[in-house]
């Protein structure tokens, strides 16, 4: 394990194994930065979760001034 490699969130009121995780990866050669999001979702909620994260990342990019 690498320190500060990722952050993982779980819900304390849920009894299942649901979570979401965020990783920031920096390419050693190009120095490009990538955000990887892993989100637990029920099969019938996958499209909704993808739409949520697409919108959230879009908002983040706008705030940061990224393309």
């Amino acid at each position: 394990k690498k320190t500060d490699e990722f952050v993982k969130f779980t819900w304390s009121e849920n009894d299942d194994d649901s979570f979401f995780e965020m990783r920031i990866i920096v390419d050693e050669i190009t120095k490009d930065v990538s955000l990887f999001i892993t989100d637990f979702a029920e099969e019938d909620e996958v499209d909704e979760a993808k739409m949520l994260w697409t919108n959230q990342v879009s908002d983040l990019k706008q705030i940061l001034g990224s393309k």
Side-chain angles (χ1 to χ4, degrees):
K1 290 184 177 181
K2 182 178 175 184
T3 304
D4 300 327
E5 183 177 335
F6 68 94
V7 62
K8 184 175 185 177
F9 296 92
T10 60
W11 286 262
S12 58
E13 66 273 357
N14 289 0
D15 291 334
D16 58 16
D17 294 329
S18 58
F19 69 92
F20 72 93
E21 176 181 288
M22 294 183 193
R23 293 176 183 267
I24 298 175
I25 308 293
V26 179
D27 185 282
E28 293 180 18
I29 297 172
T30 65
K31 303 300 183 206
D32 286 341
V33 178
S34 299
L35 175 64
F36 287 85
I37 300 171
T38 304
D39 188 358
F40 171 89
E42 297 292 338
E43 191 172 331
D44 62 335
E45 298 174 341
V46 170
D47 290 337
E48 185 177 316
K50 285 181 182 178
M51 190 181 335
L52 169 70
W53 285 112
T54 298
N55 290 334
Q56 294 298 317
V57 170
S58 177
D59 289 350
L60 177 63
K61 288 167 64 175
Q62 183 177 3
I63 290 168
L64 295 175
S66 179
K67 294 181 181 182

